Amino acid sequence: MQLTTKRMALAQVVFCQGCCCGHTDRGKPELPAEQLKEIWKVEKLNRTVQLTISGCLGPCDLTNVALVITPEENVWLGGMAGEEVYESIVTWARSCHAEGRVIPLPEVLTPLRFDRFQMKEVLL
């Protein structure tokens, strides 16, 4: 028997807040986690775009990592910093919520995309 869930979301956004990401005390850019959680709660965005603040997601050299999960793809983002970047995610989630479908991610996030499993040649 295959498990199923009644809680269907269009997408999920996972923000890393692990060993490095968001730790301003270590000189890293801020992750406005409490502000994001408040927006998601007040606007009930979790019904369509689930928000997760996670522990370490990996690639710590790309500080402030996020993962956007949709039925079509997993989009990894790194080096997230500044109000414009986080506001673009909020605006995207609001639009998905309003339209009842996943829309393309904003262009402002394109330079932050990376392939999580593409390895560069390492000299030993």
Side-chain angles (χ1 to χ4, degrees):
M1 180 167 105
Q2 185 175 355
L3 292 177
T4 60
T5 179
K6 296 176 193 170
R7 300 189 69 169
M8 298 300 296
L10 298 173
Q12 182 169 356
V13 181
V14 183
F15 288 103
C16 177
Q17 191 174 40
C19 59
C20 302
C21 297
H23 286 275
T24 57
D25 58 323
R26 297 183 190 164
K28 308 299 182 186
E30 178 188 14
L31 167 66
E34 294 308 314
Q35 180 183 359
L36 292 167
K37 289 192 281 189
E38 184 64 18
I39 291 168
W40 252 258
K41 180 181 176 183
V42 168
E43 298 183 30
K44 297 179 176 44
L45 295 177
N46 242 17
R47 293 178 180 177
T48 49
V49 178
Q50 188 154 16
L51 172 68
T52 302
I53 307 297
S54 173
C56 185
L57 290 175
C60 299
D61 58 325
L62 298 177
T63 303
N64 284 19
V65 172
L67 172 60
V68 179
I69 304 166
T70 71
E72 291 79 34
E73 64 182 341
N74 292 335
V75 177
W76 287 87
L77 304 167
M80 297 187 67
E83 189 175 321
E84 179 185 17
V85 169
Y86 291 104
E87 185 58 37
S88 73
I89 293 279
V90 170
T91 300
W92 173 80
R94 285 174 175 148
S95 296
C96 291
H97 184 75
E99 294 189 29
R101 65 182 182 89
V102 176
I103 64 169
L105 286 168
E107 290 295 319
V108 71
L109 299 176
T110 300
L112 304 178
R113 290 178 76 143
F114 68 95
D115 183 340
R116 173 64 175 102
F117 300 102
Q118 179 180 356
M119 299 289 290
K120 288 191 175 189
E121 193 173 316
V122 178
L123 300 174
L124 298 177

